[in-house]
Amino acid sequence: MRRLTIFDSCGPLRQLLWDYVTGTLPTGSADALRVESHLARCPACRAEAQQFRTAASAIDVYKAAPETGIPPRSPDWASVQARLADPQKEPVTSTANRSWFQAMRTSPGFSAATLACGIGITICTLSIPYMLQQDALQTNHNQLLGGISETVTANREGDRFIKSADAKIDAPVEMMVRPIFIGSEGLTFGEGAHSRNTIPLVASLINHTGREMDVQIDAANPSALATNRYTRRLHLASSEAPQQVYLYPTASFDYRMPYQLQVTLTGPFPDQATRVGYSTYNSGKFVLALVGDKSLGVLQPKQEVITAYRKSIQGKNKPYINYVRSATKPEYAPDRVIGYDGVDTIVLGEGAERLDSKQRTALRDWVMSGGSVIVLPGISLDLLGITPGTPFSIPDPIARLLPPETPLRRYALGMGAVLTVGVDPTQPEYREKWELSYAWEGLRNRAAPIMPSKQLGFNSEFQEQSFGNDPFQVNLPPLASLVYLFAGYFVLAVPVTFVVLKRTRRMNWAWVTGPALAAVFGGAIYGFTAELHKAGLSRRTSGVIVTGAGENKARFDGASEIFFPSAGSYDVTVPGAEAIETGMASNKTYKYSSDDPNRESGNGIISRKLEALDNGTSISVPQMTVPNLAFRRFRHTQPVAWGDGIRTRLTRSANGTIKGTIYNGTGRTLNNAYILLQTSTTKTEIHNKRAYDRHFRNAVLLSRLVPGINRIDSELIPLDSNETNFRSLPGSVSMLYTSPVFYKEGAVPVLIATTSGENVGPRIGQYVGGADAVTVAVTLPNIPSATSVTVQGGVK
Amino acid sequence: MSASLAVWQSKDVSGVPLTTGAENGALLTEQDLIVRSREGDRAAFGQLYLLYETGIYRYAYRLLEDADEADDVRQETFVRAYQSLARFRGEAGFRTYLLTICANLCRDRMRQRQRRPVTSYGLAPSEFSVVSQSFAPESADPFHQLERADQAERVWRALRRLPAAPREILLLRHVEGLEIEEIAQIVGCTKISVPVRLFRARRQFKDLFLALLQEEGE
């Protein structure tokens, strides 16, 4: 105990011991005296003082040899000076005092490993088709010439073509190209369905060479901005007579440039080129075109006539003319429906009887798909194959011009309509009448189709439904999440790994962690596209099929998408197609193109360069070169075989049910079927695009129509005014527009259904579009009221 | 012309100019060099560097026991000293000023090292490479010299066993010979706590040193 106390009391003094033994405490000072006296009494402190003395003297020795234990380093003033000169400069380091980033940069193992896995991730990212959507629809023009067997030794001398050394021929093959529809202001073409612009041309070729040969005609806009190229190949006979061939180039009209179309003839001789089409009428105006020998007359009367008219009506009902006129000779009338794509109403005038059978069929098919024809006196309706018995008369609203005793008759024909007129307005006596313009306007209003072919807008095509192993349903991550992933890798994963490895002094493990990280991140990215890698060559087709009851032919207008799992060159052919055009689609529906560098984009519309090879009976895109995991999309329109068509025997009872049978002779199962009933309207709407609306007010739900006879007994459901239940109807019907119906007799029931797009698209790959990808719209005969009325509980 | 050039260009092996425009060849005091350095005369600062670099390097090495790191600290110390020279008011000596910077840097390094423990490979330098170069001038006796070198070596080994804080304070007091106030400034504590810390450090050192002696005796 005592010892402890002494020890404790030693405490403060012991702090002075070292200084005391080294003589730092001034001798004779109070502290020194206290220590001395304490040391005399305390052996423990004496012993410690002795130890301190030893240690202190040792430190003195150490101090005298300051280099002890220290590896020499020569002064490095240069480094200091360099940093003083440039404060931004990084320290000149040996190994330490480096930030992790600097250290990482100079750590070769880690850098190499990081780079390795960075490359790995990048490769995995490339498996996503964002970057792979290169434009691949460029076919080598020269390759097309490989099909021409004729070889003639030829060279050019001046502008003349020399077939052989001694024979000079001014023009071996003459080609004259003219637009089919020519208006007073040049080539006239209107906007077709979903903004398609088909410019129908007729080329007349005369072969002076005295030998038959294969030639090729290309029609394309020479502008680099143009997106489509149209190619037609044909065999030229050795005849000196003109050989006529139709060209239907479909061009994406671009408002950024004046429209030009360059037509090039290529054969075993120097190329010939001609240009057509300098002014256009793609202004949303209504195109009224005459097929006949005369002209439509002066649609715009002289100014004084208009002024006088306006005075007479005192400004009421200001005339509004919103259409352009156009005409073609019957010899040049289109031989395919697509030729009428840009026309709203056709007027058949004198000379139309010269239309050949192919042209007549094309015209009729066009009306069936939603065309509108005004037939002038002298032209038989047989030309259109209309069976009399279904017309109804419309009182002549323009009695000032047309004699009242010649009523207008309207015939329904599929989705379209035919109007017969008793008086020919093209006769000279009407030419200078101010009413002429309005007469045409009134006539075309009354010839309005039920569902205009131009208005087959169906942006809801390719509705998102899953059909098993369907590459089109793979949801690729948005680009932003890839950016986050990369950021996570480079900003988070790499530095964290580095810090961990650095702290654990296992930097060479980077060769393990690097690939592991790459596997994780790359695997995540690959996972996004794993479904695409699994999918095979597949396609889907969506669109609308329209026709009338009893017709054995229908018309398809829509689009197809093809998924190519592996890169290569593919011949894509759509059987029977009349036009293939670039895949116009909205950004929303075409999700894979958002980063396509070659897209033509404006107003959210995407199109792609496309070469259409017209084989006469089908259109193909030859040698479509695609990269891995590529999606390609294009629109196409063509006739569709329709079996025996749809026939109905339906009656409407007093209490609003519809009974009867529907014979489905199409050979297809029609799903989600229902009948829409048009209502007539008294609105004096002008028949232009703005007037097209959904004039359906009642519906009958039928469910499925199997091939054969289907018995119907369904109630009529009113469609509400704000059309919410109309829009909820399946298929693309909500995007179908109809013309206003002025007369009760003109109201036509329309059968709507959905069916598979398997038989209407390109024959390539597996169809994965599902059983409801195509909407069917068929006009039906009027449904008469039941003749027998049952009176409940009473006597008849 | 050539004479003045010779003056400007005369440099020692380390590349530091010996004199920089010293008027009439007069010797410059440390204070002059500091003033000139503060005015941006890097050559003058170079002289200061030459004066103190060895001390700073050794101090850093004694704390860090890593030549590369000590080298870096030396460089960094002088760069920072130059950059903040304006704040140096000469209250303490220039050496104290440098030591303050250097001690701070060393402390930073050791703190980093604690976060990333260093595993040293092979033998520590002092255990194989250090052959004492110490030859005390006052004694020509080689045995005596050898004995002193051994003793210094022993002290160093004891110091190395000492934790950083007591080692630092012991070095500052007994090797660098600083006053209590200066130590308080460098270590960053109050003047009153320095003697207590010093006492503990001395005691720890003494115990370690005696333990070493005993080990050798056995």
Side-chain angles (χ1 to χ4, degrees):
Chain A
M1 275 314 275
R2 188 174 168 268
R3 193 181 158 81
L4 271 175
T5 6
I6 292 169
F7 192 81
D8 285 344
S9 67
C10 296
L13 289 174
R14 287 193 179 190
Q15 288 193 20
L16 299 170
L17 276 183
W18 184 290
D19 289 340
Y20 175 78
V21 298
T22 53
T24 321
L25 274 185
T27 0
S29 68
D31 281 345
L33 290 172
R34 274 172 58 211
V35 173
E36 259 174 47
S37 65
H38 179 75
L39 284 181
R41 281 181 285 116
C42 179
C45 285
R46 262 205 310 280
E48 184 151 35
Q50 184 54 42
Q51 290 173 348
F52 275 145
R53 193 171 286 123
T54 313
S57 67
I59 282 192
D60 282 344
V61 171
Y62 177 73
K63 189 183 175 183
E67 72 285 353
T68 303
I70 300 176
R73 269 290 155 111
S74 53
D76 186 9
W77 168 243
S79 301
V80 178
Q81 205 177 20
R83 288 190 56 201
L84 294 184
D86 181 8
Q88 303 300 318
K89 200 169 171 179
E90 289 165 1
V92 182
T93 61
S94 40
T95 59
N97 193 28
R98 295 177 299 192
S99 72
W100 66 265
F101 181 66
Q102 292 162 342
M104 193 174 76
R105 282 197 320 186
T106 48
S107 170
F110 191 84
S111 308
T114 308
L115 186 70
C117 54
I119 291 169
I121 287 186
T122 309
I123 290 169
C124 291
T125 310
L126 290 180
S127 70
I128 293 189
Y130 288 114
M131 289 78 181
L132 294 180
Q133 290 287 324
Q134 301 290 332
D135 180 25
L137 303 185
Q138 289 173 344
T139 309
N140 188 348
H141 179 70
N142 294 325
Q143 287 177 349
L144 295 172
L145 294 177
I148 297 171
S149 54
E150 181 88 3
T151 49
V152 178
T153 312
N155 55 30
R156 245 183 196 287
E157 188 181 84
D159 282 323
R160 302 199 168 189
F161 174 70
I162 302 167
K163 200 173 99 182
S164 60
D166 54 351
K168 287 188 178 181
I169 301 167
D170 283 348
V173 175
E174 281 180 41
M175 179 174 72
M176 193 188 80
V177 179
R178 70 186 298 283
I180 291 183
F181 292 104
I182 300 175
S184 55
E185 290 161 73
L187 163 67
T188 301
F189 72 95
E191 205 172 69
H194 39 72
S195 307
R196 177 174 56 214
N197 292 303
T198 306
I199 301 138
L201 305 171
V202 180
S204 294
L205 295 107
I206 301 169
N207 184 359
H208 295 297
T209 57
R211 50 200 304 176
E212 55 187 56
M213 61 173 74
D214 289 318
V215 293
Q216 173 178 310
I217 302 171
D218 291 295
N221 190 326
S223 162
L225 290 169
T227 49
N228 280 19
R229 169 180 283 274
Y230 172 87
T231 300
R232 180 88 198 245
R233 289 178 190 164
L234 67 149
H235 187 80
L236 272 188
S238 64
S239 160
E240 284 274 338
Q243 297 171 56
Q244 185 169 299
V245 60
Y246 287 93
L247 310 172
Y248 298 103
T250 305
S252 296
F253 185 81
D254 198 318
Y255 292 90
R256 289 171 295 185
M257 56 188 177
Y259 197 83
Q260 282 191 15
L261 199 60
Q262 178 170 299
V263 182
T264 309
L265 173 70
T266 312
F269 46 81
D271 292 358
Q272 296 185 0
T274 181
R275 288 182 184 217
V276 290
Y278 301 102
S279 67
T280 68
Y281 277 106
N282 187 5
S283 55
K285 282 187 177 178
F286 197 94
V287 177
L288 184 68
L290 173 80
V291 176
D293 295 330
K294 291 180 180 170
S295 81
L296 285 177
V298 181
L299 289 185
Q300 190 68 44
K302 286 175 183 169
Q303 190 56 44
E304 54 264 32
V305 175
I306 294 179
T307 313
Y309 169 68
R310 281 184 177 162
K311 272 183 187 167
S312 73
I313 61 167
Q314 291 171 342
K316 284 183 287 184
N317 283 328
K318 265 192 175 176
Y320 174 67
I321 301 172
N322 187 32
Y323 60 97
V324 294
R325 62 175 172 154
S326 187
T328 187
K329 296 274 180 257
E331 292 76 20
Y332 302 133
D335 68 344
R336 290 189 204 166
V337 174
I338 193 73
Y340 294 101
D341 200 38
V343 177
D344 291 84
T345 300
I346 283 287
V347 180
L348 289 182
E350 199 182 310
E353 64 277 358
R354 296 206 304 276
L355 291 172
D356 65 21
S357 63
K358 212 174 175 189
Q359 290 168 318
R360 291 178 185 201
T361 308
L363 184 57
R364 187 185 194 280
D365 288 350
W366 174 64
V367 177
M368 189 68 64
S369 70
S372 161
V373 171
I374 297 169
V375 182
L376 298 185
I379 305 298
S380 166
L381 281 180
D382 293 346
L383 191 144
L384 289 169
I386 291 179
T387 47
T390 49
F392 61 95
S393 297
I394 301 171
D396 175 16
I398 43 175
R400 290 187 203 213
L401 183 68
L402 303 177
E405 65 272 18
T406 58
L408 312 171
R409 284 181 198 281
R410 182 182 154 111
Y411 299 80
L413 180 55
M415 289 292 167
V418 178
L419 189 78
T420 55
V421 188
V423 165
D424 185 355
T426 60
Q427 284 172 15
E429 59 260 41
Y430 298 116
R431 287 274 169 103
E432 264 308 305
K433 290 200 173 181
W434 61 262
E435 295 96 334
L436 183 64
S437 302
Y438 312 112
W440 283 121
E441 190 118 0
L443 290 176
R444 67 184 174 81
N445 278 346
R446 279 147 189 82
I450 289 139
M451 201 177 275
S453 60
K454 278 188 167 190
Q455 296 299 314
L456 296 178
F458 35 86
N459 292 327
S460 59
E461 69 194 15
F462 298 130
Q463 287 170 11
E464 296 308 322
Q465 302 163 51
S466 194
F467 303 114
N469 195 16
D470 179 357
F472 301 105
Q473 307 304 323
V474 176
N475 280 316
L476 293 180
L479 205 58
S481 48
L482 280 189
V483 173
Y484 290 140
L485 209 66
F486 269 86
Y489 174 72
F490 285 109
V491 180
L492 207 68
V494 172
V496 165
T497 317
F498 177 81
V499 168
V500 169
L501 293 184
K502 173 92 176 167
R503 285 190 69 171
T504 55
R505 297 255 161 183
R506 296 279 188 278
M507 211 53 126
N508 46 358
W509 282 20
W511 285 108
V512 179
T513 60
L517 274 180
V520 170
F521 278 80
I525 292 171
Y526 180 85
F528 291 136
T529 51
E531 289 297 316
L532 284 187
H533 288 280
K534 273 188 231 162
L537 184 65
S538 23
R539 61 130 177 142
R540 59 177 181 173
T541 301
S542 186
V544 175
I545 290 176
V546 290
T547 187
E551 298 290 332
N552 59 5
K553 211 195 293 183
R555 181 131 196 110
F556 171 82
D557 206 327
S560 288
E561 275 189 338
I562 306 172
F563 170 70
F564 299 94
S566 50
S569 191
Y570 297 83
D571 282 321
V572 179
T573 302
V574 184
E578 295 186 354
I580 286 184
E581 62 174 323
T582 54
M584 302 277 278
S586 73
N587 275 328
K588 276 182 201 162
T589 54
Y590 199 26
K591 58 191 172 188
Y592 302 109
S593 279
S594 57
D595 298 298
D596 189 337
N598 282 296
R599 67 185 169 146
E600 283 283 319
S601 149
N603 300 325
I605 298 294
I606 298 163
S607 60
R608 173 182 288 282
K609 284 188 198 303
L610 192 77
E611 304 218 359
L613 175 63
D614 190 342
N615 305 314
T617 54
S618 67
I619 293 194
S620 58
V621 182
Q623 292 162 353
M624 183 190 268
T625 313
V626 294
N628 282 323
L629 304 178
F631 291 90
R632 288 293 180 267
R633 173 181 179 140
F634 48 86
R635 288 193 174 276
H636 51 96
T637 180
Q638 76 261 14
V640 175
W642 201 236
D644 293 337
I646 304 281
R647 291 160 208 274
T648 59
R649 195 174 297 156
L650 296 171
T651 53
R652 178 197 275 184
S653 69
N655 58 9
T657 51
I658 300 232
K659 279 189 180 180
T661 53
I662 296 180
Y663 171 69
N664 175 5
T666 61
R668 299 158 185 263
T669 301
L670 302 179
N671 305 312
N672 305 308
Y674 47 97
I675 295 172
L676 293 174
L677 297 180
Q678 273 191 315
T679 53
S680 61
T681 171
T682 53
K683 273 191 273 178
T684 53
E685 285 173 287
I686 295 171
H687 172 201
N688 62 27
K689 290 182 180 181
R690 280 168 296 187
Y692 298 142
D693 207 341
R694 306 178 192 91
H695 299 275
F696 301 118
R697 291 292 177 266
N698 291 294
V700 185
L701 299 185
L702 308 174
S703 73
R704 170 183 292 192
L705 295 180
V706 295
I709 290 171
N710 297 265
R711 297 202 175 278
I712 305 301
D713 185 1
S714 297
E715 282 184 24
L716 216 58
I717 301 165
L719 296 171
D720 58 20
S721 54
N722 60 13
E723 295 183 343
T724 47
N725 58 2
F726 181 83
R727 287 175 191 281
S728 68
L729 295 175
S732 305
V733 65
S734 62
M735 303 306 291
L736 294 177
Y737 290 80
T738 55
S739 302
V741 179
F742 290 99
Y743 306 99
K744 207 174 142 195
E745 299 89 334
V748 170
V750 181
L751 172 78
I752 302 285
T754 56
T755 190
S756 163
E758 186 163 6
N759 298 320
V760 286
R763 300 286 182 268
I764 186 170
Q766 191 195 350
Y767 175 78
V768 293
D772 300 309
V774 173
T775 299
V776 176
V778 183
T779 53
L780 302 180
N782 273 316
I783 303 173
S785 294
T787 47
S788 60
V789 179
T790 312
V791 182
Q792 283 188 348
V795 191
K796 228 184 195 178
Chain B
M1 181 66 190
S2 61
S4 69
L5 264 183
V7 169
W8 277 92
Q9 289 171 350
S10 64
K11 293 176 181 179
D12 74 358
V13 282
S14 67
V16 179
L18 287 174
T19 52
T20 56
E23 295 83 0
N24 310 321
L27 271 175
L28 294 175
T29 64
E30 182 185 292
Q31 196 54 41
D32 293 334
L33 290 172
I34 291 167
V35 170
R36 279 164 183 264
S37 303
R38 200 178 285 151
E39 288 163 358
D41 184 349
R42 288 200 201 110
F45 191 69
Q47 300 275 11
L48 288 170
Y49 176 84
L50 272 195
L51 279 173
Y52 291 110
E53 59 89 15
T54 313
I56 293 299
Y57 166 71
R58 283 177 180 164
Y59 180 75
Y61 184 84
R62 283 178 187 129
L63 286 180
L64 299 172
E65 299 174 55
D66 183 316
D68 286 334
E69 282 202 77
D71 197 16
D72 286 352
V73 166
R74 174 176 64 177
Q75 189 194 115
E76 193 63 29
T77 301
F78 280 93
V79 170
R80 291 199 188 179
Y82 183 81
Q83 284 164 350
S84 54
L85 209 52
R87 271 179 278 151
F88 173 64
R89 284 186 294 275
E91 289 153 357
F94 189 66
R95 193 165 69 100
T96 313
Y97 168 66
L98 289 175
L99 276 174
T100 309
I101 298 172
C102 177
N104 279 328
L105 288 170
C106 290
R107 240 171 274 132
D108 288 348
R109 300 245 165 185
M110 286 187 284
R111 217 171 290 136
Q112 287 177 10
R113 213 185 270 177
Q114 276 176 355
R115 274 188 254 124
R116 312 186 288 232
V118 176
T119 49
S120 49
Y121 301 92
L123 296 165
S126 60
E127 289 175 61
F128 71 97
S129 66
V130 175
V131 176
S132 178
Q133 304 287 315
S134 174
F135 294 98
E138 67 269 20
S139 168
D141 181 357
F143 291 105
H144 183 62
Q145 283 168 12
L146 202 59
E147 206 173 286
R148 282 179 70 89
D150 281 351
Q151 185 78 330
E153 176 66 29
R154 205 172 290 125
V155 170
W156 170 232
R157 272 156 60 198
L159 281 174
R160 290 184 66 218
R161 293 187 182 184
L162 211 54
R167 193 198 302 186
E168 186 180 16
I169 207 160
L170 210 65
L171 284 170
L172 288 171
R173 179 75 178 132
H174 295 301
V175 179
E176 304 300 333
L178 296 185
E179 292 305 318
I180 301 295
E181 293 82 3
E182 292 173 316
I183 293 170
Q185 184 200 325
I186 292 173
V187 177
C189 66
T190 61
K191 229 161 43 168
I192 302 158
S193 67
V194 173
V196 181
R197 294 178 184 215
L198 192 56
F199 169 67
R200 286 190 199 131
R202 282 164 172 171
R203 211 175 199 186
Q204 270 179 286
F205 170 75
K206 172 210 69 176
D207 291 344
L208 287 168
F209 182 73
L210 292 177
L212 267 179
L213 274 178
Q214 205 168 352
E215 278 174 29
E216 287 179 9
E218 283 168 0

